[in-house]
Amino acid sequence: MEALRQDDPRHFGPYTVLARFRETASAVHYLGRGADGDDIAVVTAARPALAAVPAFRRRFQSEARTAERLAGGWVQPPLAAPAEGLWTATAYVPALTLAEAIDLAGPLPERAVRILGAGLAETLSRVHATGAVLQGLAPGTVLLAEDGPRLTAFGPLGAAAAAEANASGQLSVRLGYLTPEQVDGKDVGPASDLFVLGLLLAYAATGTTPLADGPAAEAAERIAHASAELDSVPDELRDLIAGCLAKDPADRPSAGSVAAELALEGAAGLAKGGWLPERLAASVADQAARVHALQAPEEEADPDAAAGPEATEPDDGAPAPASGPAAPEDVRPASEPADGIDAGPQDARPQDVGTQNVAATGHQEGGLPVPASASADGDIGDSRTTRFLGTATPPPRTDRATTQLAVPRELAAGPQPGSPQPVRPAAAPFPPSAPAAQPHPYTYPAAAPQSAPAPLPLPAQAPVPAPSAAAAASATSRRALLTVVAAGVAGLVVGGGAVAALGSGDDASDADDKPAPKPRRTLPGQAPEPSWIYTHPAAEPAPLTSGVWEDKLLVLTGTTGATGIDLRTGRKIWQRADAAGAQAVLAAGKDLCFLASPTEFLWLSPKDGQVKHRVRFVDQFTGVPNMKVAPLTGRSGSVVWFTGSHTVLVKAPKPKKGQKPGRDTQVVKAYFFAYDIVLRKELWRVAVPAGRAPGTPAYRLTAVRAADLVIRQDAATLTPADVAAGKGRALFRCFDRKTGKLLWVRQFGALLPTGAALGDEEGQLYGAVGDDLQAFEMATAKPVWTLNGTAASVFGTPVLAGKLLHTTNRNQEVGAVDRATGKLLWRRSTEVPLGGNAPALTLSGGGTLLAADASQVTAFSAADGRRLWKFQDIGAQDPKGATVSAPYQVLAAGKTAVVQRGGVFYAFPVE
């Protein structure tokens, strides 16, 4: 922090400016106090010298909209951002930049690196879900707060190590990080973000940036071809970081898989209980105390201030990235350039890149002009500096920079002999009183005392000459990407980062001056805000099961009772101890809720949970004393099917004369039942083979058709004789729905007893056979089609949706198949590390496909497979950060999806 300078604004909308906080090449970050006098905000304001450039204004506002769309998680939501303004405000969060943290305490511990990387990867995953790219991660653009990391900038301006505007209105931005594909002149994509993330994590773990050692002139060659030196990286992180730094983008992991590998329970879960080393935590606390103690500087009377409130209300500044330095690039499809700015690299300390010897020469090393925003002493905004009330600015320091080289295509060959060299605009202090055309109508104070700190030298705003016809014809399009070139290009700073040019030509302004579309509140990839969250009492065991009644009530059952939760508000409305132990929850008409327990059926009132009817098996099902039931097989309408068994004593036959009497034996008799839960009446029962001890076979419903139903016995209840009879393959049984008569017993291909299977009303059965998914005719067991999987894909239970079949497999992929032909329509990854079971699928009424596993819930559009969002809760942990073990489960009810993990329930709005 440092005291306000003479020409600093004193007000931004409702915020009174208290001090300078940090600086970047494109913006100054101020600390401000809200109108209520309590809340502290970080106001990010465009540098006045750049604000006059139309290209800068467009980009600045675009990045502000990106920040708003990304709000949530590890991105602070904006508190204020004028629609056409050049400033934005976010809540102050006590934090250090990563660069400050490394300077203060050295490399981070492994656990802290995991939390840092998981938080960044989670945000990248949200962006990449739409095919967009978020460039610009750097140590100065990431904050380390008490509860986790924060991203603070959202495009090339926020990530810039230097930004300047020349007399023709062209904006040049210099970044610091480079990727191999950019060295080869190729476009960036989501995988480019992963390369930069790998550099950043290596820097966090070791304090140095990989590939930075060596001559600056060879930096691009090292990045394109040299192997990163990772010996100092902790063993547990080395393979992951090495994967991120793969030269081929196709070999790099996805952001979601990186997030899951670093912190399966999510960054927030792993950070729970504290994550910063003691020295950094103390520094963050000290910063917070000093910030909250700030008082607004006294202002001398200003006659112009009497003009009224309008004088203090900025109506034309530009939103910028959030608090702190800058970071990732504008969210856009990977194939679309970003206003002609090539997101160049950002070194481990982007503020210092190429700024040495500037004061003495007027140019950076290699002949590049000093950025217009740089001061005479080379300071372009040192976000690592913590200065307070006039303390001295530290001198620039050298650093081993990771380099990116990028120049406009027309300059790729370097300046020709005799061609004019770039001219640095003359620097001059920005006047305290700006003319009417000033593009940043902030409220400036009256003349400050002579002892006030001198303002930063800023470039004079030269008028933009009217371009000639020839010049206009050859002008660089604002959408033109910059070409990445090899080291050695004349006039380029090798080791100084990238230079990106953004023209302000008339051709571009016509399109870009149109009003921006209304920003979306959430970026695809970010889970919507839960409508409510319900946490089951910690003193009670987690619920055994849950169900939804009439899209109005969520009913939870456990060993201590049943609980009714209002599905609209998440509030508990009743709890009944006399309904304990239920293993299924169903609607029994419009007036009652049906619960099935191991010993009885219960019908509860949805209003208060009062038990209206109770049927004990011993009373209802005569001839089956002491019946033991398996979980319900399934239901259709008001009819449920289930299996039950009991043990009978079979006396030995009377022995013949002279023979010893035989022994009496106990025999298990099992039955398959149909029961109407509305009429509370048994419809039929049929004897079936007993299962493995204790004897009740558990059936799984495979298909329900108009006249019959098809079941398969759970593999865990098969007897050795059953397995032998089936020769290791699954046996399916078909029963008449009206009478319970057994119609047939069949096998389908090589489908195993443990293989997933599902049938439809048209008479097809879909089963997981080896690594493939096959369709069979149920009437003949003949194969219809085969969807080939990959090694160890192993399909899980699919879900029917009209003419489609939604698939899931152990490669953590979901997809859609045409039921008639088996044609694969789409397949998407959940970006969860491979291993474990296939995700469990749930389809909402509006067409959202939800895939739940042990790591997260991922939502897709059922129609085209677009990844909509993912959700991870923070779970519960022991002090060492152990992950929770409960998998996610999903219930769909109308336009609400209820996500359960252990004893916590989240209600999300879905289409």
Side-chain angles (χ1 to χ4, degrees), residues 205-225:
T206 66
T208 60
T209 303
L211 306 173
D213 288 329
E218 301 173 4
E221 178 66 19
R222 290 197 301 273
I223 289 174
H225 303 294

Side-chain angles (χ1 to χ4, degrees), residues 239-441:
D239 288 345
L240 175 65
I241 292 176
C244 292
L245 296 179
K247 303 303 182 184
D248 187 346
D251 293 335
R252 297 172 202 156
S254 65
S257 62
V258 170
E261 186 169 344
L262 288 172
L264 189 61
E265 68 277 45
L270 191 55
K272 192 175 182 181
W275 71 292
L276 293 177
E278 184 177 351
R279 189 172 181 184
L280 296 183
S283 181
V284 169
D286 176 69
Q287 180 197 95
R290 291 189 293 112
V291 167
H292 287 286
L294 286 173
Q295 298 296 324
E298 294 183 3
E299 300 181 34
E300 294 188 5
D302 182 0
D304 296 334
E310 294 81 0
T312 63
E313 285 289 324
D315 55 10
D316 187 69
S323 65
E329 175 166 353
D330 171 35
V331 178
R332 56 183 172 83
S335 60
E336 181 184 351
D339 279 339
I341 293 184
D342 183 37
Q346 184 87 255
D347 84 25
R349 293 176 183 163
Q351 309 86 314
D352 290 339
V353 176
T355 60
Q356 294 82 6
N357 301 323
V358 170
T361 65
H363 286 69
Q364 299 173 3
E365 297 177 34
L368 189 71
V370 175
S373 60
S375 66
D377 64 359
D379 181 11
I380 60 171
D382 186 351
S383 66
R384 298 189 312 279
T385 303
T386 303
R387 300 192 295 272
F388 189 71
L389 300 180
T391 56
T393 302
R397 288 175 293 178
T398 59
D399 188 24
R400 293 184 291 183
T402 299
T403 307
Q404 173 171 339
L405 307 175
V407 295
R409 285 190 175 91
E410 64 271 24
L411 301 179
Q416 299 299 319
S419 63
Q421 296 298 314
V423 178
R424 177 189 177 193
F430 193 82
S433 299
Q438 175 184 324
H440 43 80

Side-chain angles (χ1 to χ4, degrees), residues 36 40 101 125 160 162 200 276 356 482 501 563 619 701 728 801 839 887:
D36 57 7
I40 301 291
S125 179
L200 192 73
L276 293 177
Q356 294 82 6
L482 303 179
T563 304
D619 300 326
L701 187 63

